[in-house]
Amino acid sequence: MAKTADTIFYGGNIITMDEKMTRDGQSPDSPIVEAVAVAGGVIQAVGSMKDVFRLVGRKTQVIFLNDQTLMPGFIETHQHATMCAMKRSVYTDISSMVYRTYSEVEDAMKTKLQVLEPGNWGLFFGWDPELIPDLPLLSATFLDNNFSATVPIVVIGQSGHVCWVNSLALTAGGITARMDSPDGGTIVKDENGNPTGQLFEEPAMMLVLNQSPPPDPEAITKGFQDQWRYYASVGLTTVTELGYMPSEFTDGILREMSDQSDCPIRIGT
């Protein structure tokens, strides 16, 4: 245990998750929890004001909770953290959390396509016909005719398990009538055996996505930083990534961020 604490919290409802420890003691054997001492990012003491304040030093920051609750951080067991970060920096969000009608989604997609720099792709995330009922059925032909036949387009469904691409994106991915679906993925084809532009699951989707231009390192790093700060802001301290897709590019960013002393969360896969 450290000789002095960096920070001491007191004056609130301190929840330790130990049923025997209470704020005012439920029995003579129940330790009273009135304060918490932290040093070097590690809890050093939990208990009565008298015991914990023995760790006060000249540089100790003492924080009065003003009767608020102090509790352990939440562990989020099912997240798609990488995709959430990518949505902030690489993809344009067209989900039902932002839009309510196809007209709104259409305007957002067309606006983005109009401002793309030469060589970039139109990458969209959140196509959700369940919550936006008037969304049309997508296909390569539909995307060509209604959005662009000169810019590669990828529209990922809200579930993350399906995407629709236009003809240029199919070509970039080398997807033809002769190509079989990869193991674990599906290339949807019409009655004549031609790819429709709909792809299911990562092995099929990545045939196209791996051909898109690499994202700007600064933008993607900021996307991860913003997403991690958001998790921390709602009380999460550990996030489990269930949609992890190995990537030399993003893996390097994740390692660098995780090694930083001020990284606000733990990430597991």
Side-chain angles (χ1 to χ4, degrees), residues 128-154:
D128 193 351
E130 291 186 356
L131 295 182
I132 307 179
D134 67 338
L135 292 182
L137 294 176
L138 291 184
S139 67
T141 301
F142 184 91
L143 291 171
D144 290 344
N145 293 340
N146 292 275
F147 291 96
S148 179
T150 58
V151 174
I153 295 174
V154 179

Short mmCIF file of all heavy atoms in Angstrom, two decimals, residues 128-154:
data_model
loop_
_atom_site.label_atom_id
_atom_site.label_comp_id
_atom_site.label_asym_id
_atom_site.label_seq_id
_atom_site.Cartn_x
_atom_site.Cartn_y
_atom_site.Cartn_z
N ASP A 128 -31.05 0.27 -42.62
CA ASP A 128 -31.89 -0.42 -41.64
C ASP A 128 -33.37 -0.43 -42.05
O ASP A 128 -34.17 0.38 -41.58
CB ASP A 128 -31.74 0.27 -40.28
CG ASP A 128 -32.31 -0.55 -39.13
OD1 ASP A 128 -32.97 -1.57 -39.39
OD2 ASP A 128 -32.09 -0.16 -37.97
N PRO A 129 -33.76 -1.36 -42.93
CA PRO A 129 -35.15 -1.40 -43.39
C PRO A 129 -36.15 -1.78 -42.31
O PRO A 129 -37.35 -1.55 -42.46
CB PRO A 129 -35.12 -2.45 -44.51
CG PRO A 129 -33.91 -3.27 -44.24
CD PRO A 129 -32.92 -2.36 -43.60
N GLU A 130 -35.68 -2.35 -41.21
CA GLU A 130 -36.60 -2.71 -40.13
C GLU A 130 -37.10 -1.46 -39.41
O GLU A 130 -38.27 -1.39 -39.01
CB GLU A 130 -35.92 -3.65 -39.14
CG GLU A 130 -35.65 -5.04 -39.71
CD GLU A 130 -35.10 -5.98 -38.66
OE1 GLU A 130 -34.85 -5.54 -37.53
OE2 GLU A 130 -34.92 -7.17 -38.98
N LEU A 131 -36.24 -0.48 -39.22
CA LEU A 131 -36.63 0.74 -38.51
C LEU A 131 -36.89 1.92 -39.44
O LEU A 131 -37.41 2.95 -39.00
CB LEU A 131 -35.57 1.10 -37.47
CG LEU A 131 -35.41 0.09 -36.32
CD1 LEU A 131 -34.38 0.58 -35.32
CD2 LEU A 131 -36.74 -0.16 -35.62
N ILE A 132 -36.48 1.78 -40.71
CA ILE A 132 -36.85 2.78 -41.73
C ILE A 132 -37.60 2.01 -42.81
O ILE A 132 -37.01 1.57 -43.81
CB ILE A 132 -35.61 3.49 -42.31
CG1 ILE A 132 -34.74 4.07 -41.18
CG2 ILE A 132 -36.03 4.61 -43.26
CD1 ILE A 132 -33.49 4.76 -41.66
N PRO A 133 -38.90 1.80 -42.63
CA PRO A 133 -39.66 0.85 -43.46
C PRO A 133 -39.72 1.18 -44.95
O PRO A 133 -39.95 0.27 -45.76
CB PRO A 133 -41.07 0.88 -42.84
CG PRO A 133 -40.90 1.47 -41.49
CD PRO A 133 -39.73 2.39 -41.57
N ASP A 134 -39.54 2.44 -45.32
CA ASP A 134 -39.69 2.76 -46.75
C ASP A 134 -38.38 2.67 -47.53
O ASP A 134 -38.31 3.09 -48.69
CB ASP A 134 -40.32 4.14 -46.93
CG ASP A 134 -39.42 5.29 -46.46
OD1 ASP A 134 -38.52 5.03 -45.63
OD2 ASP A 134 -39.63 6.43 -46.92
N LEU A 135 -37.36 2.08 -46.93
CA LEU A 135 -36.12 1.88 -47.68
C LEU A 135 -36.35 0.88 -48.82
O LEU A 135 -36.97 -0.15 -48.61
CB LEU A 135 -35.00 1.36 -46.76
CG LEU A 135 -34.46 2.31 -45.70
CD1 LEU A 135 -33.34 1.63 -44.92
CD2 LEU A 135 -33.96 3.61 -46.31
N PRO A 136 -35.83 1.15 -50.00
CA PRO A 136 -36.00 0.24 -51.12
C PRO A 136 -35.04 -0.95 -51.03
O PRO A 136 -34.11 -0.95 -50.23
CB PRO A 136 -35.66 1.11 -52.33
CG PRO A 136 -34.67 2.09 -51.79
CD PRO A 136 -35.10 2.38 -50.38
N LEU A 137 -35.29 -1.95 -51.86
CA LEU A 137 -34.36 -3.07 -51.96
C LEU A 137 -33.13 -2.63 -52.74
O LEU A 137 -33.24 -2.04 -53.82
CB LEU A 137 -35.03 -4.25 -52.69
CG LEU A 137 -36.22 -4.90 -51.97
CD1 LEU A 137 -36.84 -5.98 -52.85
CD2 LEU A 137 -35.78 -5.51 -50.64
N LEU A 138 -31.97 -2.90 -52.17
CA LEU A 138 -30.75 -2.47 -52.81
C LEU A 138 -30.17 -3.55 -53.73
O LEU A 138 -30.35 -4.74 -53.50
CB LEU A 138 -29.70 -2.09 -51.76
CG LEU A 138 -29.96 -0.84 -50.93
CD1 LEU A 138 -28.78 -0.56 -50.00
CD2 LEU A 138 -30.23 0.37 -51.82
N SER A 139 -29.46 -3.11 -54.73
CA SER A 139 -28.72 -3.98 -55.64
C SER A 139 -27.66 -3.13 -56.31
O SER A 139 -27.67 -1.89 -56.20
CB SER A 139 -29.65 -4.59 -56.70
OG SER A 139 -30.13 -3.57 -57.56
N ALA A 140 -26.74 -3.79 -57.00
CA ALA A 140 -25.72 -3.04 -57.72
C ALA A 140 -26.37 -2.12 -58.76
O ALA A 140 -25.98 -0.95 -58.92
CB ALA A 140 -24.75 -4.00 -58.39
N THR A 141 -27.38 -2.64 -59.44
CA THR A 141 -28.06 -1.84 -60.48
C THR A 141 -28.76 -0.64 -59.87
O THR A 141 -28.68 0.48 -60.40
CB THR A 141 -29.08 -2.71 -61.22
OG1 THR A 141 -28.40 -3.81 -61.83
CG2 THR A 141 -29.80 -1.91 -62.30
N PHE A 142 -29.42 -0.84 -58.72
CA PHE A 142 -30.11 0.27 -58.06
C PHE A 142 -29.11 1.35 -57.66
O PHE A 142 -29.36 2.56 -57.88
CB PHE A 142 -30.88 -0.24 -56.84
CG PHE A 142 -31.69 0.82 -56.16
CD1 PHE A 142 -33.02 1.04 -56.51
CD2 PHE A 142 -31.14 1.63 -55.17
CE1 PHE A 142 -33.77 2.03 -55.89
CE2 PHE A 142 -31.87 2.62 -54.55
CZ PHE A 142 -33.20 2.82 -54.91
N LEU A 143 -28.01 0.94 -57.08
CA LEU A 143 -27.00 1.92 -56.65
C LEU A 143 -26.39 2.64 -57.85
O LEU A 143 -26.14 3.85 -57.79
CB LEU A 143 -25.91 1.23 -55.82
CG LEU A 143 -26.36 0.71 -54.45
CD1 LEU A 143 -25.26 -0.14 -53.81
CD2 LEU A 143 -26.74 1.86 -53.52
N ASP A 144 -26.17 1.89 -58.95
CA ASP A 144 -25.63 2.52 -60.17
C ASP A 144 -26.58 3.60 -60.69
O ASP A 144 -26.17 4.72 -61.01
CB ASP A 144 -25.42 1.47 -61.25
CG ASP A 144 -24.29 0.52 -60.96
OD1 ASP A 144 -23.45 0.82 -60.08
OD2 ASP A 144 -24.24 -0.56 -61.60
N ASN A 145 -27.85 3.23 -60.78
CA ASN A 145 -28.84 4.11 -61.42
C ASN A 145 -29.26 5.28 -60.55
O ASN A 145 -29.61 6.36 -61.06
CB ASN A 145 -30.08 3.30 -61.82
CG ASN A 145 -29.79 2.29 -62.91
OD1 ASN A 145 -28.80 2.41 -63.64
ND2 ASN A 145 -30.63 1.27 -63.02
N ASN A 146 -29.26 5.09 -59.22
CA ASN A 146 -29.80 6.11 -58.34
C ASN A 146 -28.76 6.92 -57.58
O ASN A 146 -29.09 7.99 -57.04
CB ASN A 146 -30.76 5.46 -57.33
CG ASN A 146 -32.01 4.93 -57.99
OD1 ASN A 146 -32.98 5.67 -58.20
ND2 ASN A 146 -32.01 3.64 -58.34
N PHE A 147 -27.52 6.43 -57.54
CA PHE A 147 -26.50 7.16 -56.78
C PHE A 147 -25.26 7.44 -57.63
O PHE A 147 -24.95 8.59 -57.90
CB PHE A 147 -26.15 6.39 -55.51
CG PHE A 147 -27.27 6.39 -54.52
CD1 PHE A 147 -28.16 5.32 -54.45
CD2 PHE A 147 -27.48 7.46 -53.67
CE1 PHE A 147 -29.22 5.32 -53.54
CE2 PHE A 147 -28.54 7.49 -52.76
CZ PHE A 147 -29.42 6.41 -52.70
N SER A 148 -24.55 6.42 -58.06
CA SER A 148 -23.39 6.67 -58.91
C SER A 148 -22.91 5.38 -59.56
O SER A 148 -22.85 4.33 -58.91
CB SER A 148 -22.24 7.27 -58.10
OG SER A 148 -21.11 7.49 -58.93
N ALA A 149 -22.58 5.51 -60.84
CA ALA A 149 -21.94 4.41 -61.57
C ALA A 149 -20.48 4.71 -61.82
O ALA A 149 -19.78 3.93 -62.47
CB ALA A 149 -22.66 4.18 -62.90
N THR A 150 -20.00 5.84 -61.28
CA THR A 150 -18.61 6.25 -61.51
C THR A 150 -17.79 6.29 -60.22
O THR A 150 -16.58 6.50 -60.28
CB THR A 150 -18.56 7.64 -62.16
OG1 THR A 150 -19.23 8.59 -61.31
CG2 THR A 150 -19.25 7.63 -63.52
N VAL A 151 -18.44 6.11 -59.08
CA VAL A 151 -17.75 6.06 -57.79
C VAL A 151 -18.10 4.75 -57.11
O VAL A 151 -19.29 4.41 -57.00
CB VAL A 151 -18.18 7.24 -56.88
CG1 VAL A 151 -17.57 7.10 -55.49
CG2 VAL A 151 -17.81 8.57 -57.50
N PRO A 152 -17.14 3.97 -56.65
CA PRO A 152 -17.45 2.73 -55.92
C PRO A 152 -18.26 3.04 -54.66
O PRO A 152 -17.92 3.96 -53.91
CB PRO A 152 -16.08 2.15 -55.58
CG PRO A 152 -15.15 2.74 -56.59
CD PRO A 152 -15.67 4.13 -56.84
N ILE A 153 -19.32 2.28 -54.44
CA ILE A 153 -20.20 2.50 -53.29
C ILE A 153 -20.35 1.20 -52.51
O ILE A 153 -20.54 0.13 -53.09
CB ILE A 153 -21.59 2.97 -53.75
CG1 ILE A 153 -21.49 4.34 -54.42
CG2 ILE A 153 -22.56 3.04 -52.56
CD1 ILE A 153 -22.81 4.82 -55.02
N VAL A 154 -20.27 1.32 -51.19
CA VAL A 154 -20.54 0.20 -50.28
C VAL A 154 -21.53 0.70 -49.22
O VAL A 154 -21.29 1.72 -48.57
CB VAL A 154 -19.27 -0.31 -49.59
CG1 VAL A 154 -19.61 -1.47 -48.63
CG2 VAL A 154 -18.24 -0.76 -50.62
#
